[in-house]
Short mmCIF file of all heavy atoms in Angstrom, two decimals:
data_model
loop_
_atom_site.label_atom_id
_atom_site.label_comp_id
_atom_site.label_asym_id
_atom_site.label_seq_id
_atom_site.Cartn_x
_atom_site.Cartn_y
_atom_site.Cartn_z
N MET A 8 47.11 53.60 -20.76
CA MET A 8 46.50 53.61 -19.43
C MET A 8 47.58 53.78 -18.36
O MET A 8 48.48 52.97 -18.26
CB MET A 8 45.75 52.30 -19.23
CG MET A 8 44.90 52.26 -17.98
SD MET A 8 44.07 50.68 -17.79
CE MET A 8 45.35 49.77 -16.95
N LYS A 9 47.47 54.85 -17.59
CA LYS A 9 48.42 55.08 -16.50
C LYS A 9 47.91 54.38 -15.25
O LYS A 9 46.78 53.96 -15.17
CB LYS A 9 48.55 56.58 -16.22
CG LYS A 9 49.22 57.34 -17.34
CD LYS A 9 49.57 58.74 -16.87
CE LYS A 9 49.31 59.75 -17.96
NZ LYS A 9 48.15 60.58 -17.79
N GLU A 10 48.79 54.30 -14.26
CA GLU A 10 48.42 53.63 -13.01
C GLU A 10 47.63 54.57 -12.12
O GLU A 10 47.95 55.74 -12.00
CB GLU A 10 49.68 53.17 -12.28
CG GLU A 10 50.47 52.13 -13.07
CD GLU A 10 51.93 52.09 -12.65
OE1 GLU A 10 52.20 52.17 -11.44
OE2 GLU A 10 52.77 51.98 -13.54
N GLY A 11 46.60 54.02 -11.47
CA GLY A 11 45.78 54.80 -10.57
C GLY A 11 46.28 54.81 -9.14
O GLY A 11 45.61 55.31 -8.25
N ASP A 12 47.49 54.24 -8.92
CA ASP A 12 47.99 54.18 -7.55
C ASP A 12 49.00 55.30 -7.25
O ASP A 12 49.53 55.37 -6.15
CB ASP A 12 48.61 52.81 -7.25
CG ASP A 12 49.74 52.44 -8.20
OD1 ASP A 12 50.04 53.23 -9.12
OD2 ASP A 12 50.31 51.36 -8.02
N LYS A 13 49.24 56.18 -8.22
CA LYS A 13 50.14 57.31 -8.00
C LYS A 13 49.35 58.61 -8.06
O LYS A 13 48.65 58.88 -9.04
CB LYS A 13 51.25 57.33 -9.06
CG LYS A 13 52.21 56.17 -8.95
CD LYS A 13 53.39 56.35 -9.88
CE LYS A 13 54.38 55.21 -9.74
NZ LYS A 13 53.87 53.96 -10.29
N ARG A 14 49.47 59.42 -7.01
CA ARG A 14 48.69 60.65 -6.90
C ARG A 14 49.01 61.63 -8.04
O ARG A 14 48.12 62.34 -8.52
CB ARG A 14 48.99 61.31 -5.54
CG ARG A 14 47.97 62.34 -5.13
CD ARG A 14 48.22 62.79 -3.69
NE ARG A 14 47.08 63.50 -3.16
CZ ARG A 14 46.87 64.80 -3.37
NH1 ARG A 14 47.72 65.51 -4.08
NH2 ARG A 14 45.79 65.38 -2.87
N GLU A 15 50.28 61.62 -8.48
CA GLU A 15 50.69 62.58 -9.53
C GLU A 15 49.96 62.34 -10.86
O GLU A 15 49.86 63.25 -11.68
CB GLU A 15 52.21 62.50 -9.74
CG GLU A 15 52.66 61.17 -10.29
CD GLU A 15 54.17 60.97 -10.27
OE1 GLU A 15 54.85 61.60 -9.44
OE2 GLU A 15 54.66 60.18 -11.09
N ASN A 16 49.42 61.13 -11.06
CA ASN A 16 48.72 60.80 -12.30
C ASN A 16 47.26 61.26 -12.31
O ASN A 16 46.61 61.24 -13.34
CB ASN A 16 48.74 59.29 -12.55
CG ASN A 16 50.13 58.77 -12.81
OD1 ASN A 16 51.04 59.52 -13.17
ND2 ASN A 16 50.33 57.48 -12.60
N ILE A 17 46.74 61.63 -11.13
CA ILE A 17 45.31 61.92 -10.98
C ILE A 17 45.09 63.40 -10.77
O ILE A 17 45.74 64.00 -9.90
CB ILE A 17 44.75 61.15 -9.76
CG1 ILE A 17 45.33 59.75 -9.72
CG2 ILE A 17 43.23 61.22 -9.73
CD1 ILE A 17 44.50 58.63 -10.14
N LYS A 18 44.21 63.99 -11.57
CA LYS A 18 43.92 65.42 -11.45
C LYS A 18 42.41 65.61 -11.52
O LYS A 18 41.72 64.85 -12.20
CB LYS A 18 44.55 66.19 -12.62
CG LYS A 18 46.05 66.02 -12.78
CD LYS A 18 46.82 67.04 -11.99
CE LYS A 18 48.31 66.95 -12.19
NZ LYS A 18 48.94 65.77 -11.61
N PRO A 19 41.88 66.63 -10.84
CA PRO A 19 40.45 66.93 -11.00
C PRO A 19 40.12 67.17 -12.48
O PRO A 19 40.92 67.76 -13.20
CB PRO A 19 40.26 68.20 -10.18
CG PRO A 19 41.36 68.15 -9.17
CD PRO A 19 42.53 67.51 -9.88
N GLY A 20 38.98 66.67 -12.92
CA GLY A 20 38.57 66.81 -14.31
C GLY A 20 38.97 65.62 -15.17
O GLY A 20 38.56 65.51 -16.32
N LEU A 21 39.78 64.71 -14.60
CA LEU A 21 40.24 63.53 -15.33
C LEU A 21 39.15 62.46 -15.31
O LEU A 21 38.48 62.27 -14.29
CB LEU A 21 41.49 62.99 -14.64
CG LEU A 21 42.41 62.07 -15.42
CD1 LEU A 21 43.02 62.80 -16.61
CD2 LEU A 21 43.51 61.56 -14.51
N LYS A 22 38.98 61.77 -16.44
CA LYS A 22 38.00 60.67 -16.50
C LYS A 22 38.69 59.39 -16.03
O LYS A 22 39.75 59.02 -16.55
CB LYS A 22 37.49 60.53 -17.93
CG LYS A 22 36.23 59.71 -18.04
CD LYS A 22 35.65 59.81 -19.44
CE LYS A 22 34.28 59.16 -19.50
NZ LYS A 22 33.79 59.11 -20.88
N VAL A 23 38.08 58.73 -15.04
CA VAL A 23 38.68 57.54 -14.45
C VAL A 23 37.64 56.45 -14.23
O VAL A 23 36.44 56.70 -14.31
CB VAL A 23 39.34 57.87 -13.08
CG1 VAL A 23 40.52 58.82 -13.25
CG2 VAL A 23 38.33 58.43 -12.10
N LYS A 24 38.13 55.26 -13.94
CA LYS A 24 37.27 54.17 -13.48
C LYS A 24 37.69 53.85 -12.06
O LYS A 24 38.87 53.61 -11.80
CB LYS A 24 37.42 52.94 -14.37
CG LYS A 24 36.81 53.14 -15.73
CD LYS A 24 36.84 51.87 -16.56
CE LYS A 24 36.24 52.11 -17.92
NZ LYS A 24 36.37 50.94 -18.80
N ILE A 25 36.69 53.88 -11.14
CA ILE A 25 36.99 53.60 -9.74
C ILE A 25 36.22 52.37 -9.28
O ILE A 25 35.25 51.96 -9.92
CB ILE A 25 36.60 54.79 -8.83
CG1 ILE A 25 35.09 55.05 -8.86
CG2 ILE A 25 37.38 56.04 -9.22
CD1 ILE A 25 34.61 56.02 -7.78
N VAL A 26 36.70 51.79 -8.18
CA VAL A 26 35.94 50.72 -7.53
C VAL A 26 35.38 51.32 -6.24
O VAL A 26 36.09 51.91 -5.44
CB VAL A 26 36.80 49.46 -7.28
CG1 VAL A 26 37.95 49.72 -6.34
CG2 VAL A 26 35.94 48.32 -6.77
N LEU A 27 34.05 51.24 -6.10
CA LEU A 27 33.38 51.75 -4.90
C LEU A 27 33.60 50.76 -3.76
O LEU A 27 33.85 49.58 -3.99
CB LEU A 27 31.88 51.92 -5.16
CG LEU A 27 31.50 52.84 -6.32
CD1 LEU A 27 30.01 52.77 -6.58
CD2 LEU A 27 31.92 54.27 -6.02
N LYS A 28 33.47 51.25 -2.52
CA LYS A 28 33.66 50.40 -1.34
C LYS A 28 32.78 49.14 -1.43
O LYS A 28 33.26 48.03 -1.20
CB LYS A 28 33.30 51.21 -0.09
CG LYS A 28 33.54 50.49 1.21
CD LYS A 28 34.92 50.76 1.74
CE LYS A 28 35.11 50.07 3.09
NZ LYS A 28 36.44 49.51 3.21
N GLU A 29 31.51 49.33 -1.80
CA GLU A 29 30.60 48.17 -1.84
C GLU A 29 30.87 47.24 -3.02
O GLU A 29 30.35 46.13 -3.07
CB GLU A 29 29.13 48.62 -1.85
CG GLU A 29 28.76 49.52 -3.02
CD GLU A 29 28.90 51.01 -2.72
OE1 GLU A 29 29.68 51.39 -1.83
OE2 GLU A 29 28.22 51.80 -3.39
N ASP A 30 31.70 47.69 -3.98
CA ASP A 30 32.01 46.86 -5.15
C ASP A 30 33.39 46.22 -5.07
O ASP A 30 33.84 45.57 -6.02
CB ASP A 30 31.94 47.71 -6.44
CG ASP A 30 30.53 48.19 -6.72
OD1 ASP A 30 29.57 47.51 -6.31
OD2 ASP A 30 30.38 49.26 -7.36
N GLN A 31 34.08 46.38 -3.93
CA GLN A 31 35.45 45.85 -3.84
C GLN A 31 35.50 44.33 -4.02
O GLN A 31 36.42 43.83 -4.64
CB GLN A 31 36.09 46.26 -2.52
CG GLN A 31 36.58 47.70 -2.56
CD GLN A 31 37.12 48.20 -1.23
OE1 GLN A 31 36.98 47.54 -0.21
NE2 GLN A 31 37.71 49.36 -1.25
N ARG A 32 34.50 43.62 -3.50
CA ARG A 32 34.49 42.15 -3.65
C ARG A 32 34.28 41.74 -5.10
O ARG A 32 34.97 40.86 -5.60
CB ARG A 32 33.40 41.54 -2.78
CG ARG A 32 33.80 41.42 -1.33
CD ARG A 32 32.97 40.34 -0.64
NE ARG A 32 33.62 39.93 0.59
CZ ARG A 32 33.31 40.41 1.79
NH1 ARG A 32 32.37 41.32 1.91
NH2 ARG A 32 33.95 39.99 2.87
N SER A 33 33.31 42.39 -5.76
CA SER A 33 32.98 42.01 -7.13
C SER A 33 33.98 42.61 -8.13
O SER A 33 34.15 42.09 -9.21
CB SER A 33 31.57 42.48 -7.49
OG SER A 33 31.51 43.90 -7.51
N GLY A 34 34.61 43.73 -7.75
CA GLY A 34 35.55 44.39 -8.65
C GLY A 34 34.87 45.22 -9.73
O GLY A 34 35.51 45.62 -10.69
N LYS A 35 33.57 45.47 -9.57
CA LYS A 35 32.83 46.27 -10.55
C LYS A 35 33.37 47.70 -10.57
O LYS A 35 33.56 48.32 -9.53
CB LYS A 35 31.35 46.27 -10.15
CG LYS A 35 30.44 47.08 -11.06
CD LYS A 35 28.98 46.83 -10.64
CE LYS A 35 28.03 47.96 -10.83
NZ LYS A 35 28.39 49.28 -10.42
N LEU A 36 33.61 48.21 -11.77
CA LEU A 36 34.17 49.56 -11.91
C LEU A 36 33.08 50.57 -12.26
O LEU A 36 32.13 50.26 -12.96
CB LEU A 36 35.24 49.58 -13.01
CG LEU A 36 36.48 48.73 -12.74
CD1 LEU A 36 37.43 48.81 -13.92
CD2 LEU A 36 37.18 49.15 -11.46
N THR A 37 33.24 51.77 -11.73
CA THR A 37 32.32 52.87 -11.98
C THR A 37 33.12 53.97 -12.67
O THR A 37 34.17 54.38 -12.17
CB THR A 37 31.74 53.41 -10.66
OG1 THR A 37 31.10 52.32 -9.98
CG2 THR A 37 30.74 54.52 -10.89
N GLU A 38 32.62 54.44 -13.82
CA GLU A 38 33.35 55.47 -14.56
C GLU A 38 32.81 56.84 -14.19
O GLU A 38 31.61 57.01 -13.97
CB GLU A 38 33.19 55.21 -16.06
CG GLU A 38 34.17 56.01 -16.90
CD GLU A 38 34.17 55.57 -18.36
OE1 GLU A 38 34.41 54.38 -18.63
OE2 GLU A 38 33.92 56.43 -19.22
N GLY A 39 33.71 57.82 -14.13
CA GLY A 39 33.28 59.17 -13.83
C GLY A 39 34.44 60.15 -13.92
O GLY A 39 35.55 59.78 -14.29
N VAL A 40 34.14 61.40 -13.55
CA VAL A 40 35.13 62.47 -13.63
C VAL A 40 35.53 62.87 -12.21
O VAL A 40 34.68 63.09 -11.35
CB VAL A 40 34.55 63.68 -14.39
CG1 VAL A 40 35.55 64.83 -14.43
CG2 VAL A 40 34.16 63.26 -15.81
N VAL A 41 36.85 62.96 -11.98
CA VAL A 41 37.38 63.27 -10.65
C VAL A 41 37.00 64.69 -10.25
O VAL A 41 37.20 65.64 -11.01
CB VAL A 41 38.92 63.14 -10.64
CG1 VAL A 41 39.48 63.55 -9.28
CG2 VAL A 41 39.34 61.72 -10.98
N LYS A 42 36.45 64.82 -9.04
CA LYS A 42 36.16 66.13 -8.46
C LYS A 42 37.22 66.49 -7.42
O LYS A 42 37.80 67.56 -7.46
CB LYS A 42 34.76 66.13 -7.84
CG LYS A 42 34.36 67.49 -7.28
CD LYS A 42 32.95 67.44 -6.70
CE LYS A 42 32.57 68.78 -6.10
NZ LYS A 42 31.31 68.69 -5.36
N ASP A 43 37.46 65.57 -6.46
CA ASP A 43 38.44 65.80 -5.39
C ASP A 43 39.32 64.58 -5.22
O ASP A 43 38.87 63.46 -5.40
CB ASP A 43 37.74 66.03 -4.04
CG ASP A 43 36.73 67.15 -4.07
OD1 ASP A 43 37.12 68.25 -4.48
OD2 ASP A 43 35.58 66.91 -3.69
N LEU A 44 40.57 64.83 -4.80
CA LEU A 44 41.46 63.74 -4.40
C LEU A 44 41.38 63.63 -2.89
O LEU A 44 41.53 64.63 -2.19
CB LEU A 44 42.91 64.03 -4.82
CG LEU A 44 43.23 63.73 -6.29
CD1 LEU A 44 42.72 64.81 -7.19
CD2 LEU A 44 44.71 63.54 -6.47
N LEU A 45 41.14 62.43 -2.40
CA LEU A 45 40.96 62.23 -0.95
C LEU A 45 42.17 61.57 -0.30
O LEU A 45 42.29 61.60 0.92
CB LEU A 45 39.70 61.38 -0.70
CG LEU A 45 38.41 61.95 -1.31
CD1 LEU A 45 37.25 61.00 -1.07
CD2 LEU A 45 38.09 63.33 -0.76
N THR A 46 43.05 60.99 -1.09
CA THR A 46 44.27 60.38 -0.55
C THR A 46 45.37 61.43 -0.56
O THR A 46 45.60 62.07 -1.58
CB THR A 46 44.71 59.16 -1.40
OG1 THR A 46 43.67 58.20 -1.38
CG2 THR A 46 45.99 58.54 -0.86
N ASN A 47 46.03 61.60 0.58
CA ASN A 47 47.10 62.60 0.66
C ASN A 47 48.48 62.04 0.33
O ASN A 47 49.36 62.79 -0.08
CB ASN A 47 47.14 63.23 2.07
CG ASN A 47 45.93 64.11 2.30
OD1 ASN A 47 45.48 64.81 1.41
ND2 ASN A 47 45.38 64.05 3.50
N SER A 48 48.67 60.72 0.50
CA SER A 48 49.98 60.15 0.24
C SER A 48 50.25 60.10 -1.27
O SER A 48 49.32 60.07 -2.08
CB SER A 48 50.08 58.75 0.83
OG SER A 48 49.07 57.91 0.34
N ALA A 49 51.52 60.10 -1.66
CA ALA A 49 51.91 60.13 -3.07
C ALA A 49 51.52 58.84 -3.79
O ALA A 49 51.18 58.86 -4.97
CB ALA A 49 53.41 60.37 -3.19
N VAL A 50 51.56 57.72 -3.07
CA VAL A 50 51.26 56.41 -3.67
C VAL A 50 50.37 55.63 -2.70
O VAL A 50 50.56 55.71 -1.48
CB VAL A 50 52.57 55.61 -3.91
CG1 VAL A 50 52.27 54.22 -4.46
CG2 VAL A 50 53.47 56.36 -4.86
N HIS A 51 49.40 54.91 -3.24
CA HIS A 51 48.58 54.01 -2.41
C HIS A 51 48.42 52.69 -3.15
O HIS A 51 48.03 52.69 -4.32
CB HIS A 51 47.20 54.63 -2.12
CG HIS A 51 46.46 53.88 -1.05
ND1 HIS A 51 45.90 52.66 -1.30
CD2 HIS A 51 46.22 54.16 0.24
CE1 HIS A 51 45.33 52.22 -0.17
NE2 HIS A 51 45.52 53.12 0.78
N PRO A 52 48.74 51.57 -2.50
CA PRO A 52 48.74 50.27 -3.20
C PRO A 52 47.38 49.87 -3.78
O PRO A 52 47.33 49.15 -4.77
CB PRO A 52 49.18 49.27 -2.13
CG PRO A 52 49.02 49.98 -0.83
CD PRO A 52 49.16 51.44 -1.11
N HIS A 53 46.27 50.35 -3.19
CA HIS A 53 44.95 49.96 -3.70
C HIS A 53 44.34 51.01 -4.62
O HIS A 53 43.21 50.87 -5.05
CB HIS A 53 43.99 49.68 -2.53
CG HIS A 53 44.48 48.59 -1.64
ND1 HIS A 53 44.65 48.76 -0.29
CD2 HIS A 53 44.87 47.32 -1.91
CE1 HIS A 53 45.12 47.63 0.23
NE2 HIS A 53 45.27 46.75 -0.74
N GLY A 54 45.10 52.07 -4.90
CA GLY A 54 44.61 53.14 -5.76
C GLY A 54 44.31 54.39 -4.95
O GLY A 54 43.97 54.32 -3.78
N ILE A 55 44.46 55.54 -5.60
CA ILE A 55 44.21 56.82 -4.94
C ILE A 55 42.70 56.98 -4.76
O ILE A 55 41.93 56.76 -5.69
CB ILE A 55 44.77 57.98 -5.79
CG1 ILE A 55 46.29 57.83 -5.96
CG2 ILE A 55 44.42 59.34 -5.18
CD1 ILE A 55 47.11 57.86 -4.70
N LYS A 56 42.29 57.37 -3.55
CA LYS A 56 40.85 57.55 -3.28
C LYS A 56 40.42 58.92 -3.79
O LYS A 56 41.07 59.92 -3.51
CB LYS A 56 40.57 57.42 -1.79
CG LYS A 56 39.06 57.38 -1.49
CD LYS A 56 38.79 57.25 0.00
CE LYS A 56 38.76 55.81 0.44
NZ LYS A 56 38.31 55.67 1.86
N VAL A 57 39.33 58.93 -4.55
CA VAL A 57 38.82 60.18 -5.13
C VAL A 57 37.31 60.28 -4.93
O VAL A 57 36.64 59.28 -4.70
CB VAL A 57 39.13 60.27 -6.65
CG1 VAL A 57 40.61 60.31 -6.93
CG2 VAL A 57 38.45 59.16 -7.43
N ARG A 58 36.80 61.51 -5.05
CA ARG A 58 35.35 61.74 -5.12
C ARG A 58 35.06 62.15 -6.55
O ARG A 58 35.71 63.05 -7.09
CB ARG A 58 34.92 62.84 -4.15
CG ARG A 58 33.42 63.12 -4.21
CD ARG A 58 32.98 64.21 -3.23
NE ARG A 58 33.20 63.81 -1.85
CZ ARG A 58 34.08 64.42 -1.02
NH1 ARG A 58 34.80 65.42 -1.43
NH2 ARG A 58 34.20 64.01 0.22
N LEU A 59 34.08 61.50 -7.16
CA LEU A 59 33.68 61.85 -8.52
C LEU A 59 32.71 63.03 -8.48
O LEU A 59 32.15 63.34 -7.42
CB LEU A 59 33.02 60.65 -9.20
CG LEU A 59 33.87 59.39 -9.35
CD1 LEU A 59 33.07 58.31 -10.05
CD2 LEU A 59 35.16 59.67 -10.08
N GLU A 60 32.48 63.65 -9.62
CA GLU A 60 31.52 64.76 -9.70
C GLU A 60 30.11 64.29 -9.35
O GLU A 60 29.28 65.08 -8.93
CB GLU A 60 31.56 65.40 -11.10
CG GLU A 60 32.84 66.19 -11.30
CD GLU A 60 32.96 66.87 -12.64
OE1 GLU A 60 32.17 66.56 -13.55
OE2 GLU A 60 33.86 67.72 -12.76
N SER A 61 29.86 62.98 -9.49
CA SER A 61 28.56 62.41 -9.13
C SER A 61 28.40 62.26 -7.62
O SER A 61 27.32 61.95 -7.13
CB SER A 61 28.42 61.03 -9.78
OG SER A 61 29.41 60.16 -9.26
N GLY A 62 29.51 62.45 -6.87
CA GLY A 62 29.48 62.32 -5.42
C GLY A 62 29.95 60.95 -4.93
O GLY A 62 30.14 60.75 -3.74
N GLU A 63 30.16 60.02 -5.86
CA GLU A 63 30.62 58.69 -5.47
C GLU A 63 32.09 58.74 -5.08
O GLU A 63 32.87 59.49 -5.65
CB GLU A 63 30.43 57.70 -6.62
CG GLU A 63 28.96 57.47 -6.96
CD GLU A 63 28.75 56.79 -8.29
OE1 GLU A 63 29.29 57.28 -9.30
OE2 GLU A 63 28.06 55.78 -8.31
N VAL A 64 32.45 57.91 -4.08
CA VAL A 64 33.83 57.87 -3.59
C VAL A 64 34.37 56.46 -3.79
O VAL A 64 33.71 55.48 -3.48
CB VAL A 64 33.89 58.24 -2.09
CG1 VAL A 64 35.28 58.02 -1.53
CG2 VAL A 64 33.45 59.68 -1.90
N GLY A 65 35.58 56.39 -4.33
CA GLY A 65 36.21 55.08 -4.51
C GLY A 65 37.66 55.24 -4.88
O GLY A 65 38.19 56.35 -4.93
N ARG A 66 38.32 54.11 -5.12
CA ARG A 66 39.74 54.11 -5.46
C ARG A 66 39.94 53.94 -6.97
O ARG A 66 39.31 53.09 -7.59
CB ARG A 66 40.46 53.00 -4.70
CG ARG A 66 40.42 53.26 -3.20
CD ARG A 66 41.42 52.42 -2.44
NE ARG A 66 41.33 52.68 -1.01
CZ ARG A 66 41.98 53.69 -0.41
NH1 ARG A 66 42.76 54.49 -1.10
NH2 ARG A 66 41.85 53.87 0.89
N VAL A 67 40.84 54.73 -7.52
CA VAL A 67 41.08 54.71 -8.97
C VAL A 67 41.77 53.41 -9.37
O VAL A 67 42.80 53.03 -8.82
CB VAL A 67 41.97 55.91 -9.38
CG1 VAL A 67 42.29 55.84 -10.88
CG2 VAL A 67 41.29 57.22 -9.05
N LYS A 68 41.15 52.71 -10.31
CA LYS A 68 41.73 51.48 -10.86
C LYS A 68 42.28 51.72 -12.26
O LYS A 68 43.25 51.10 -12.65
CB LYS A 68 40.68 50.36 -10.90
CG LYS A 68 40.23 49.91 -9.53
CD LYS A 68 41.39 49.33 -8.76
CE LYS A 68 41.02 48.99 -7.33
NZ LYS A 68 42.19 48.64 -6.51
N GLU A 69 41.62 52.59 -13.02
CA GLU A 69 42.06 52.88 -14.40
C GLU A 69 41.87 54.35 -14.68
O GLU A 69 40.94 54.97 -14.16
CB GLU A 69 41.23 52.11 -15.43
CG GLU A 69 41.35 50.62 -15.38
CD GLU A 69 40.42 49.96 -16.40
OE1 GLU A 69 40.09 50.60 -17.41
OE2 GLU A 69 40.05 48.80 -16.17
N ILE A 70 42.77 54.87 -15.53
CA ILE A 70 42.59 56.22 -16.03
C ILE A 70 42.14 56.09 -17.48
O ILE A 70 42.78 55.40 -18.27
CB ILE A 70 43.91 57.03 -15.93
CG1 ILE A 70 44.27 57.18 -14.44
CG2 ILE A 70 43.77 58.38 -16.61
CD1 ILE A 70 45.62 57.79 -14.20
N VAL A 71 41.00 56.70 -17.80
CA VAL A 71 40.45 56.63 -19.15
C VAL A 71 41.02 57.81 -19.94
O VAL A 71 40.84 58.95 -19.54
CB VAL A 71 38.90 56.71 -19.11
CG1 VAL A 71 38.34 56.59 -20.51
CG2 VAL A 71 38.34 55.65 -18.18
N GLU A 72 41.71 57.50 -21.03
CA GLU A 72 42.33 58.58 -21.83
C GLU A 72 41.27 59.36 -22.58
O GLU A 72 40.35 58.80 -23.11
CB GLU A 72 43.33 57.99 -22.82
CG GLU A 72 44.52 57.36 -22.14
CD GLU A 72 45.30 58.31 -21.23
OE1 GLU A 72 45.29 59.54 -21.47
OE2 GLU A 72 45.91 57.82 -20.28
#
């Protein structure tokens, strides 16, 4: 499992687990496939923000191999 806080680790088509804005308190993870990267910085402490192919937006917590 690579870290989801480095942009270089995240590519469109990658299967990841993200935390949605409304799930940040509970920490519930949503699994999906990356469509777009929304964070421009190389590193983000809370995870790189992505849009999944389902249209959901959240920060990457885990990369599913």
Side-chain angles (χ1 to χ4, degrees):
M8 189 181 86
K9 292 192 220 106
E10 297 157 41
D12 58 359
K13 293 189 178 71
R14 197 172 195 276
E15 65 191 25
N16 294 340
I17 319 256
K18 303 271 183 290
L21 199 64
K22 196 170 188 187
V23 295
K24 289 186 181 175
I25 63 168
V26 63
L27 302 173
K28 184 92 177 140
E29 59 268 24
D30 294 332
Q31 281 175 351
R32 281 203 162 96
S33 67
K35 179 173 149 314
L36 296 178
T37 303
E38 194 170 303
V40 178
V41 176
K42 183 179 178 188
D43 304 307
L44 280 78
L45 304 177
T46 299
N47 290 322
S48 57
V50 177
H51 192 286
H53 301 125
I55 299 299
K56 189 180 272 188
V57 297
R58 179 180 297 114
L59 300 181
E60 288 181 347
S61 64
E63 294 166 307
V64 173
R66 295 196 181 275
V67 177
K68 294 298 174 190
E69 295 177 26
I70 295 173
V71 182
E72 294 302 333

